[in-house]
Each structure stands twice: as structure tokens, then as C-alpha cells.
Amino acid sequence: MTYQSEGCFVPRHALLAAGLICLAELLPGAASAQQAAEELVRPEEVHSRNGELTLALTAAPAKINVAGVSFSSNVFNGKYLSPVLRVRRGDLVKIHLVNEIAKADNEISKPEPTNLHYHGMAIPPTEPADDIFVEVHPKGHEHVGHHSNVYEYAWRVPEDHALGLHWYHPHVHGRVEDQVLSGLSGLLVVESMTETHYPQFADLQRQTLILRDIDLPGAKDGDPKTKTINGQKHPAIRMRPGEFQIWEIGNLGADSYFDLELDGHSFWVLGRDGNPTELPVKEQTLYLSPGARAEVLVQSAKAGHYPLRSLKVDTGPQGDPNPQVELGTVIVEGGPVNGGSTSADLSKPAVALDSGDITAREVRKLPITNRRTITFSETADGKTFFLNNKMFDQGRIDTTVTIGDVEEWTLRNVTGERHVFHIHQTDFLVTEQEGAALDYKGLRDVIDIPQQRNGKPGEVKIIVPFLRPNIAGKFVYHCHILEHEDNGMMANIVVLPAK
Ligand SMILES: [Cu+2]
């Protein structure tokens, strides 16, 4: 039997077992009181079979319910929580994308082009793979020389691809923020990171936490966005005392930062941005810029309720507000689990790192073939954004490199707000932040560049290896705060085939 009252859709026995009652019943309208009762939902999953993942994704308005509010929004296949795609090395991925984007209650108000980008994937930046210059127009708005409202994506996961968490979202310049904010983003997992690199943790219970931001109807410009986990405002995540779990977490939102803190717990990072770490990295808070992902190990403390928060992030005097919010509650209860042997394994380094793509250790040793500086700037009103003093222009080539090049890029932020660097098709190694050497144990594909302070620009140094022959072509690098990207903070790069 399901017990229902406002905001409570939980089997009564589960509530009793948890020692909970639905407080919404006692305190009608008290948002915080309803919060702990809703169980974390599991996203729908689509697995590849016999080496192939086939999926139809239709972007269209649908009635959704987010944080207790019902409204229509453009989403994939009728749901705010998009399917998690799980593929393996060597798999063929075939996605039939249909554009039925239309007027909805929020954000996107008219038919407009869309497409798909596969963030973190080292696949060709060309059709029918990860070409973000493709425009799939809605029916009746097809342009001469463009495609119909349907597009057939087909690409193969490279046999040596890094294992981990990636994601998919539209990337038509100028419309990315609104489409992602509407709900058009989902997780894409190249299996099996834990089994391959951290086999001692392979049997642990897993949770998938999709973090996103959204403007609820009536939200005013400048209001902080509403943050959700798996589309839920304040779900309950369950663990047993002493239990280790693996959490797959992705910030698949448009503009917001998440800096996760779980009272009395820490996070052991096994992978970030689709790349394994060289050893588990202990972090007290898990900082996830827009676009960042992480696989982490969490060991629960003694029985009790622990708030899972996203801490306030100082985005700078010109930045958008990113206040602290409570995202959910970890409920620890039931028979204790002896995590002794798992604790001991935390000091063991990752194994089989050479089974895949280039590692952080290898990138560190590569000779640098060229250095360049990318400056992030914006107008005083914070409405127009530049890379190296230029707004994005689809027809202009800003950077040209050749397969085999290994470049050191200095990312310089001369604005009063944080920005987030991302480049398509390749990962990079972060070597320096604010003048201090950084020895992070893995490759990344998004990194924050802090705001200018006291006239001193924020600065980060990265090494970008352009080594994989399959990434030759034209693609982009940009700020992953999608509002900034849409308003100019993006540039084109052409990677020429090796001579
Ligand atoms: Cu930015």
C-alpha cells in the first residue's frame, strides 16, 4: 500500500521502518518537513547489447513535476530525468534524434534547432559522430542544405577509450543554456571503470546521482536556480552503518556549481570527468563545476540522518548567486556492515591504467610542443563574453594544431567572476592553479578559472595532448557556464591530421 499525502509518495512500511512519518501531514505546506520522505529514484538505464546501443531520443515539450511544481518543459522522451546510457569499449552507439522542440511553460518558447554533443568522449568531431555544427531543425523549419527534424547519430566507442562518466546534451550555439535548463541532458557511462581499475570495489552497492539546475515557473532573472538530484528536490539516500557505496555523480546542469558536503563523511574520488584517478583521492567536499563528473566511494557513519548539502560557492562579485542548499538526506539505518577490508583497500593505487587512453602520469612526461594563453573577459554589464577578446564566430578558426602536438595553455581570467574551461574531444592535465603547482592524480575535461582578485587575474595552466588521430577536425573550447558560452565565450579549434 502506498501512503500518499502532499509531497509524500512512499510505502507506509518504508516510513515506519525508517522511523519516519510524513511530517507534511502534520505541517502542511512546510517544505523542509516534506523533504526526507521521498526515496531517491533510479534513472532509467539503457544498456548496449551485443556491442550496440540503439536509442530514439525525442526532444519535445512534456508535463513534468520538479520540486513539487508541475509545468511543461522540453525534455527527452517525455521525462525530466533523461535515460542513463551505458556502453562499453568498442560498442556502436546509434541515436535517432527527433526535434519536436516547441513552446513550453518555461525557457524555450518556440521551435528551434537542436543537436547532440557527447561531452568527454574522444570520438571524431565530424558527422555522424560529435559534430556540434550540425543543426537539426524542427519540422516545417528545415533549412535548405540542412537536415530534417531527424538525425541519425552513429559512432563507435574507441577500444582504448578511458572508462567513466560522460554526458550528452544539445550544443547549438546560442540555445545551449535554455535547452539544458529545460531538461535536455543525460549521463553517458563507458563501463566498467570500477571493475577495471578498482576491482576491490566492484561489488559495492551503487547510486547514480544526476545533479541539475532549473528555473521553476515564476523564477526571476538573477534568482538562484533550483537544484535537484535525479529531478527530486530533497530525496532520501539509504545506507547501512559502516557500508561503503559507490556514487556516480554528474553535474549535468547549465550554470550552477555543486560543492557537496555530507556531515561526518568524506568522499574518496576514484574517477573524475571520465578518467580514473591514479589512487583514491580523499576530498572533504566534492566540488563539481558545471559539466564535471565523479565516481566516489562513501563510507557511511553510524545510524542517523545526515544532510547532503551543496555549499555556497563564491562565484565572484560579477558572478551569479550560488547559495548553500540542502539537496537530500542520507539515512543510515539497519544492520551494520563491516567495511574493514574495504577501508584497507583505500590506500591501493588503481590497476590496469595502461589498458586505456593516455594517463595523467604519461601526460606529465610529454615534451611541450607549443604554449598559448587563452584570456577570459566580459563586458562590465556581464552580458557579453570573450575568449582572447573575441566573441564566438562559427566561421572563424581561432586555434590550429596538428595531431601529435602537446600544448601548454595558460587560462587567464580577467573578470570578476569564475569561469569553467572545457575543450571537446580531449582531456587535459591541470598542472598549476594560482601560481602553485598542482599534482592532481587524473585527467580532467572541465576546470575552474578563479576570478581576478585585487587586479591579479585568476590563472590555471593545463597540458592538452592532441594525440588521438580520430579527433582530427573542427571543434570548440568554451566556458561551461552555458550562459557565458551562448553569449560568446567559445572559440573554434582545428586539429589537422599528422603530416
Ligand atoms: Cu564563464
Side-chain angles (χ1 to χ4, degrees):
M1 180 199 160
T2 300
Y3 174 67
Q4 295 197 357
S5 77
E6 202 174 359
C8 274
F9 298 91
V10 182
R12 176 115 216 172
H13 60 83
L15 293 171
L16 293 171
L20 280 176
I21 51 167
C22 184
L23 290 174
E25 189 181 38
L26 303 175
L27 302 166
S32 62
Q34 301 177 12
Q35 288 174 348
E38 194 178 317
E39 297 293 317
L40 179 74
V41 300
R42 273 186 179 274
E44 178 199 339
E45 303 203 335
V46 181
H47 293 255
S48 58
R49 283 178 159 200
N50 302 323
E52 202 171 301
L53 180 138
T54 310
L55 174 72
L57 283 177
T58 300
K63 204 70 155 176
I64 60 171
N65 186 304
V66 178
V69 184
S70 286
F71 55 100
S72 72
S73 190
N74 282 282
V75 294
F76 288 126
N77 299 353
K79 288 183 183 160
Y80 179 61
L81 189 55
S82 310
V84 175
L85 314 187
R86 294 190 182 270
V87 300
R88 295 181 172 272
R89 284 178 174 160
D91 281 353
L92 180 63
V93 178
K94 291 164 80 175
I95 297 181
H96 173 87
L97 176 69
V98 184
N99 182 358
E100 291 180 4
I101 290 175
K103 185 173 170 18
D105 292 343
N106 71 340
E107 295 302 327
I108 298 172
S109 58
K110 62 178 190 310
E112 59 187 37
T114 191
N115 64 13
L116 284 178
H117 165 51
Y118 304 95
H119 180 131
M121 295 301 298
I123 55 174
T126 49
E127 295 196 59
D130 191 24
D131 183 345
I132 57 115
F133 302 103
V134 161
E135 291 189 3
V136 186
H137 288 262
K139 244 196 174 75
H141 297 261
E142 298 95 332
H143 291 197
V144 178
H146 282 70
H147 307 271
S148 71
N149 78 320
V150 173
Y151 191 83
E152 308 291 347
Y153 285 98
W155 48 269
R156 206 169 270 287
V157 182
E159 290 285 356
D160 61 348
H161 201 280
L163 306 175
L165 308 179
H166 306 274
W167 61 300
Y168 58 95
H169 66 82
H171 213 297
V172 171
H173 182 58
R175 300 306 304 153
V176 186
E177 182 197 21
D178 281 353
Q179 292 188 20
V180 171
L181 265 184
S182 290
L184 297 170
S185 68
L187 195 67
L188 167 65
V189 185
V190 181
E191 305 271 26
S192 305
M193 198 285 283
T194 313
E195 289 82 347
T196 306
H197 299 305
Y198 289 102
Q200 67 269 36
F201 305 136
D203 295 331
L204 297 177
Q205 169 87 26
R206 303 200 188 179
Q207 308 265 10
T208 304
L209 309 183
I210 311 290
L211 311 177
R212 290 199 288 181
D213 56 358
I214 190 165
D215 277 328
L216 295 179
K220 288 188 277 302
D221 205 28
D223 282 354
K225 295 184 167 47
T226 299
K227 291 178 175 173
T228 61
I229 303 180
N230 294 357
Q232 295 167 283
K233 184 73 183 293
H234 199 284
I237 301 166
R238 291 185 185 276
M239 299 181 79
R240 290 164 63 192
E243 182 188 5
F244 279 91
Q245 289 188 353
I246 290 184
W247 291 5
E248 301 175 321
I249 312 177
N251 179 353
L252 312 191
D255 301 310
S256 302
Y257 295 89
F258 288 81
D259 190 10
L260 301 184
E261 182 185 61
L262 180 59
D263 272 356
H265 297 74
S266 43
F267 302 99
W268 293 87
V269 180
L270 307 182
R272 257 195 187 270
D273 298 351
N275 295 282
T277 50
E278 291 169 357
L279 75 173
V281 178
K282 188 179 184 180
E283 296 186 9
Q284 219 45 54
T285 71
L286 187 69
Y287 187 81
L288 295 165
S289 321
R293 296 87 65 208
E295 292 104 327
V296 300
L297 205 65
V298 181
Q299 185 184 22
S300 66
K302 61 181 199 296
H305 288 203
Y306 300 90
L308 176 63
R309 293 181 205 96
S310 180
L311 300 177
K312 174 188 159 77
V313 173
D314 175 14
T315 62
Q318 268 186 289
D320 291 331
N322 202 93
Q324 177 169 316
V325 288
E326 205 167 299
L327 292 173
T329 301
V330 173
I331 299 176
V332 180
E333 62 180 8
V337 176
N338 182 0
S341 60
T342 310
S343 304
D345 284 343
L346 284 168
S347 56
K348 284 191 191 159
V351 297
L353 287 175
D354 57 359
S355 76
D357 207 351
I358 194 163
T359 63
R361 191 176 298 157
E362 289 161 343
V363 172
R364 239 174 248 126
K365 291 182 200 150
L366 294 171
I368 305 290
T369 56
N370 188 32
R371 292 183 163 80
R372 60 181 94 225
T373 297
I374 313 290
T375 301
F376 290 64
S377 63
E378 62 186 78
T379 51
D381 65 6
K383 291 204 162 78
T384 310
F385 299 83
F386 312 95
L387 288 180
N388 287 346
N389 298 314
K390 290 176 186 147
M391 281 182 82
F392 180 68
D393 175 347
Q394 191 148 319
R396 186 186 65 228
I397 304 305
D398 300 284
T399 307
T400 305
V401 301
T402 303
I403 293 292
D405 287 353
V406 178
E407 299 212 340
E408 183 188 71
W409 289 16
T410 299
L411 310 173
R412 184 171 288 158
N413 181 351
V414 298
T415 76
E417 67 176 307
R418 272 175 180 252
H419 295 288
V420 182
F421 176 81
H422 169 57
I423 184 166
H424 291 202
Q425 267 56 50
T426 181
D427 299 311
F428 49 78
L429 179 71
V430 183
T431 56
E432 218 179 289
Q433 214 158 9
E434 305 285 289
L438 200 77
D439 188 27
Y440 192 74
K441 303 297 183 193
L443 299 176
R444 306 289 288 266
D445 66 31
V446 287
I447 190 71
D448 269 33
I449 318 143
Q451 57 270 30
Q452 175 162 310
R453 286 194 176 92
N454 305 319
K456 192 170 178 287
E459 211 169 89
V460 167
K461 281 196 167 116
I462 61 173
I463 297 174
V464 196
F466 297 99
L467 301 182
R468 301 183 67 98
N470 68 333
I471 67 165
K474 179 184 169 189
F475 52 93
V476 291
Y477 54 90
H478 58 87
C479 179
H480 221 294
I481 295 175
L482 299 181
E483 181 192 5
H484 301 177
E485 169 193 337
D486 277 342
N487 290 293
M489 206 167 241
M490 182 154 81
N492 285 311
I493 180 168
V494 167
V495 181
L496 303 169
K499 284 167 210 126

